[in-house]
Amino acid sequence: MTTYIDPSRENFDHFKSLPRDTPVHMLNLVRFKPLATYPDGHELADKGLTGAEAYAEYFRTIQPVLDRAGGKIAWKGGFEAMVTGPAEWEWDETFVMSYPSAAAFMGMVKDPDYAPVVVHRQAAVEDSRLVRFAPIEE
């Protein structure tokens, strides 16, 4: 089974080819590892954190970077039941992040404070999807 943690070069290049001056919503679907896998030598490598705990650490430590980018959670939900589709739901976290522009999102991932905190996400995540949407006003 193929899993996804970070964007592929091809997908990120496509993201960058889209308009950068419009607001974006980023759908996040995340499945956690049972145990986080930090790189050797990381201060949390031998602490026995679960994937969920490492992801919580990611969200705690990324907050200043999100604030600078203008990113915020637009929606977060806890799965209850599949009404149409397969009975199994494979995601532990489901939420939508809102950014004032695609450029703000790109600025976030290039922020020098992002690299030290994304390690928590990489340690936590077994599989994920990150999908760009244009908000539609009704």
Side-chain angles (χ1 to χ4, degrees):
M1 168 163 88
T2 302
T3 59
Y4 302 88
I5 298 171
D6 295 315
S8 68
R9 173 58 40 208
E10 179 183 34
N11 285 355
F12 199 63
D13 286 346
H14 178 65
F15 175 92
K16 293 187 304 186
S17 75
L18 297 172
R20 295 184 185 192
D21 59 349
T22 58
V24 294
H25 283 174
M26 302 294 285
L27 171 64
N28 288 255
L29 304 173
V30 183
R31 183 171 57 242
F32 301 130
K33 296 174 185 172
L35 287 175
T37 53
Y38 282 95
D40 289 340
H42 190 277
E43 65 184 89
L44 298 177
D46 298 324
K47 300 296 183 196
L49 276 86
T50 66
E53 290 168 331
Y55 202 77
E57 183 66 9
Y58 167 65
F59 251 94
R60 185 186 70 73
T61 57
I62 197 169
Q63 200 57 56
V65 179
L66 284 173
D67 291 345
R68 285 194 294 276
K72 63 182 185 221
I73 293 180
W75 174 89
K76 185 174 182 174
F79 175 76
E80 291 184 336
M82 183 67 70
V83 178
T84 302
E88 297 299 316
W89 181 253
E90 58 188 78
W91 308 107
D92 297 311
E93 289 276 333
T94 306
F95 59 97
V96 174
M97 292 294 297
S98 171
Y99 296 91
S101 66
F105 174 83
M106 289 174 52
M108 179 195 71
V109 298
K110 291 180 179 179
D111 186 309
D113 292 335
Y114 181 74
V117 299
V118 76
V119 69
H120 300 294
R121 183 185 185 284
Q122 293 165 333
V125 174
E126 182 174 296
D127 195 12
S128 67
R129 304 294 184 272
L130 181 60
V131 186
R132 176 181 168 162
F133 287 92
I136 297 174
E137 300 284 331
E138 290 191 30

